[in-house]
Amino acid sequence: MMNWHDESDGDIRRLLHRGRCGLGLALTFTLAVACGGDPSSEAADGGVLPIDDAATSLSDASIPTPDAVPVDAGPQCGDGVVEGEEVCDEGKENSDSWALEPHCNEACTGLAPYCGDGDVDGDDGEACDDGLGNNDVWEPLEHCNSTCSASAPLCDMPEDTSVIFPRPGVPYPPENLHTTEKAVLGKILFWEQQLSADDTVACGSCHQGSAGGSDTRAGLALHPGADGIDETGDDVHGSLGIRRCEMIAGVPVAKDDEIFGDRVQVTDRKTPSFLDAMFAPSLFWDGRATDAFLDPDTNTVAIVTGGALESQALGPIMSPVEMSCEGRTFDDVYLKMATIDPLSLASDLPPDMANAVCRYPSYPALFEATFGDAAISAQRIAFAIATYERTLVSDATAFDRFTDPVAPDLTALSEGEQRGLALFEGETGCSDCHSTTRPNVDAPANFSNQDFHNLGFIDMASQTNPDTGLQRTTGLAEDAGKFRTPTLRNVGLREVGGLLHTGLNTLEDVMAAYNNPSVPPGPGSTTDVRMIPLGLTSGEIADIIDFLRDALTDPRVETNSYPFDHPTLFAP
């Protein structure tokens, strides 16, 4: 099994992804200089040189001699700005040339002066080398001809090691233990829009860290509910999915939808957070992603227990509302993945992702580096995504500092937040369902009992064909209206797209409903018996909201910092 963190490619520089330079995207680094062009061009002035213009500029270029930096001197760096101070050398005033690796500091994000067309699997020679037959490596500058249109990235960008995985206290099923390669492949797959049938939706499209693991777009995405009529009592702010389509001869073909017409569809529930989900025995609002993971290719149990993340991971990929077309099969997915360039629609890749796709610029290569052979399967996709998700523990909050079992920081919470925590754990009974107790000595409190409850916020009797939640999965009448208890970590970030499965509420709305449930428990009701009026004052409610909104927000999640970092997705 190959390890992309240990392997050394020497001076070989593979393209970050083969298709990026053919998408008509603008390059902000100096293509003309890196690949033999004229340093007086627009790009050399710090402007933007579109690909089409780059090809024209390079067509009359002469082949330079790399006298400033010997091509055999080892890895090189630069910021792509040939005029002005480099941001990634050590200040030796060599700002107009690429610096050797010993001169590079941690800020280096630029590209080395090698060239190639990215066709590392081809056998017909590079389109931009000198025809010497060394088509599987990136060429030094003196081998580049006038058709060169790509500069090669270094495959050893410095990676963040501030968090060591696997995390103590995080449960892993024995059938799917942690490896670094599997976690990084899962991160790539999670943010891969090309997993969707029409290349528009990734898992990460609806799960954004800055939205607390949910979807900021939900506030603008309206599903009309079961009655099909907008602005009635059963409307839901869901997540934008895929335009309705069907697979015909292996090709997605768009078709109009009876509700959304030729617009993209909207899910009938708001996306729950995917953060801190590794402790749940079942997932989705209705619990249909179960503890046992069934391999859809073989219809056999691949994980006996502890596989809810694996069960959940495949659902959206095959959903005709979220990422798939009607009639699409996993074979269609595998065939597509074998031919696409990983993350070719994304930009601003974090270092761990960039290094992986740089060394292994195809999905068969990535799967071989991870699993030992190039086979792509649903089980391997699920195993990788779930392994990535098990790295996302948001335990750097003020609450975690305040309650640290070894060295608690008693100044981490304000006086109001401390009053809110006391109410939360005390007379309100909030912590009965949103537990503040650690599931094990090494794991943080998850703020969920992982159970299902009917809060009495929705009068189902007044709706036509209401969403019955857990009952959809179990078929039991007593489960009508019950939904999974979400974690409250980062709940303040989720407000922007709405809370609960309906996406209609702010924390003020939720606390008002808890203070006076619209459908209290009683005969003929499935509302939880604990849902009785709380009688809280406005000041007490404000303290609880302050605690929830501020003390439970992980700043790494809010700022999309490692390990919650991710690429920028293509906006269709």
Side-chain angles (χ1 to χ4, degrees):
M1 184 175 297
M2 305 173 73
N3 186 317
W4 58 61
H5 293 271
D6 296 333
E7 184 181 33
S8 175
D9 289 325
D11 287 333
I12 296 175
R13 301 294 179 254
R14 290 188 170 89
L15 183 64
L16 185 60
H17 39 65
R18 188 181 312 156
R20 180 166 309 207
C21 291
L23 292 173
L25 299 179
L27 299 182
T28 56
F29 56 87
T30 312
L31 276 176
V33 173
C35 296
D38 181 359
S40 65
S41 67
E42 180 184 3
D45 292 332
V48 173
L49 182 64
I51 285 293
D52 292 343
D53 293 339
T56 301
S57 299
L58 290 166
S59 63
D60 298 324
S62 59
I63 308 303
T65 301
D67 49 2
V69 181
V71 297
D72 58 353
Q76 302 162 26
C77 69
D79 63 4
V81 179
V82 296
E83 295 181 358
E85 183 178 353
E86 295 276 25
V87 297
C88 64
D89 66 23
E90 60 175 9
K92 296 293 186 182
E93 297 184 355
N94 48 354
S95 56
D96 287 339
S97 65
W98 291 90
L100 295 178
E101 190 174 49
H103 294 176
C104 305
N105 63 27
E106 293 180 354
C108 177
T109 58
L111 305 178
Y114 292 79
C115 68
D117 63 3
D119 188 11
V120 295
D121 299 321
D123 57 3
D124 55 353
E126 296 278 40
C128 62
D129 67 21
D130 58 1
L132 295 181
N134 46 358
N135 58 293
D136 284 339
V137 298
W138 286 94
E139 310 300 338
L141 278 181
E142 73 266 28
H143 291 179
C144 303
N145 63 29
S146 59
T147 64
C148 175
S149 62
S151 183
L154 298 171
C155 292
D156 53 1
M157 293 176 64
E159 298 182 20
D160 195 319
T161 57
S162 60
V163 183
I164 305 300
F165 301 105
R167 286 281 306 272
V170 172
Y172 284 82
E175 299 92 339
N176 188 25
L177 297 177
H178 177 91
T179 69
T180 298
E181 292 76 22
K182 201 189 308 177
V184 176
L185 174 59
K187 189 174 183 179
I188 292 169
L189 293 169
F190 191 90
W191 295 97
E192 178 59 90
Q193 289 171 281
Q194 296 174 102
L195 270 183
S196 66
D198 67 352
D199 299 345
T200 62
V201 183
C203 300
S205 298
C206 302
H207 293 283
Q208 303 146 22
S210 58
S214 187
D215 193 349
T216 57
R217 307 168 305 165
L220 302 175
L222 185 69
H223 188 288
D227 64 8
I229 303 173
D230 290 342
E231 299 185 12
T232 57
D234 64 348
D235 291 358
V236 171
H237 285 284
S239 289
L240 295 172
I242 193 172
R243 180 180 173 184
R244 188 179 180 187
C245 57
E246 59 182 331
M247 297 296 289
I248 299 178
V251 177
V253 178
K255 61 187 296 186
D256 283 354
D257 181 77
E258 55 269 20
I259 296 177
F260 302 104
D262 61 357
R263 296 176 290 124
V264 297
Q265 300 171 93
V266 178
T267 61
D268 61 357
R269 292 171 181 161
K270 196 207 172 193
T271 302
S273 175
F274 77 120
L275 305 176
D276 306 289
M278 65 288 296
F279 301 106
S282 63
L283 289 168
F284 290 122
W285 286 110
D286 55 14
R288 66 185 185 276
T290 60
D291 199 36
F293 170 61
L294 192 69
D295 183 339
D297 288 330
T298 63
N299 203 35
T300 58
V301 175
I303 295 178
V304 176
T305 185
L309 279 174
E310 287 81 357
S311 297
Q312 185 277 332
L314 298 180
I317 297 173
M318 300 308 293
S319 165
V321 174
E322 297 179 59
M323 297 175 67
S324 192
C325 287
E326 297 160 17
R328 193 188 195 203
T329 67
F330 275 112
D331 285 338
D332 294 322
V333 176
Y334 309 152
L335 181 62
K336 182 178 183 180
M337 291 182 68
T339 59
I340 60 176
D341 303 312
L343 297 175
S344 62
L345 301 182
S347 58
D348 306 317
L349 273 60
D352 52 356
M353 303 172 79
N355 289 339
V357 299
C358 178
R359 289 187 173 91
Y360 307 106
S362 72
Y363 275 112
L366 283 166
F367 274 73
E368 181 174 6
T370 301
F371 295 103
D373 63 68
I376 299 172
S377 69
Q379 176 176 308
R380 287 179 169 184
I381 293 170
F383 276 25
I385 292 176
T387 301
Y388 161 58
E389 291 179 322
R390 290 190 176 96
T391 68
L392 304 177
V393 183
S394 62
D395 61 346
T397 71
F399 169 82
D400 293 300
R401 298 196 305 275
F402 186 79
T403 59
D404 187 288
V406 177
D409 178 3
L410 300 183
T411 67
L413 299 185
S414 69
E415 291 184 2
E417 290 166 353
Q418 291 184 47
R419 292 194 300 269
L421 172 59
L423 288 165
F424 189 89
E425 293 183 315
E427 64 186 79
T428 64
C430 296
S431 61
D432 289 352
C433 298
H434 296 284
S435 175
T436 57
T437 302
R438 293 172 174 266
N440 60 64
V441 67
D442 293 313
N446 193 243
F447 285 85
S448 173
N449 63 359
Q450 312 300 348
D451 206 348
F452 297 80
H453 303 278
N454 183 347
L455 303 180
F457 291 175
I458 299 174
D459 184 3
M460 293 191 295
S462 66
Q463 297 183 5
T464 302
N465 192 26
D467 186 349
T468 59
L470 182 63
Q471 187 185 39
R472 286 189 183 180
T473 301
T474 66
L476 301 176
E478 58 264 32
D479 290 334
K482 293 182 179 179
F483 291 87
R484 182 173 173 269
T485 302
T487 178
L488 294 182
R489 287 185 175 272
N490 306 295
V491 66
L493 300 178
R494 295 200 292 276
E495 281 187 285
V496 65
L499 301 172
L500 307 177
H501 69 283
T502 58
L504 295 175
N505 306 99
T506 64
L507 282 171
E508 283 79 5
D509 294 329
V510 172
M511 286 306 304
Y514 272 112
N515 215 29
N516 189 23
S518 58
V519 185
S525 169
T526 60
T527 300
D528 193 287
V529 295
R530 288 167 288 193
M531 292 301 298
I532 56 176
L534 296 177
L536 296 172
T537 67
S538 58
E540 290 172 326
I541 289 176
D543 286 340
I544 293 175
I545 289 175
D546 284 346
F547 167 69
L548 296 174
R549 187 173 283 153
D550 298 325
L552 299 185
T553 295
D554 188 323
R556 302 170 303 167
V557 173
E558 186 173 17
T559 59
N560 296 310
S561 301
Y562 183 81
F564 307 97
D565 53 346
H566 61 80
T568 300
L569 298 183
F570 167 69

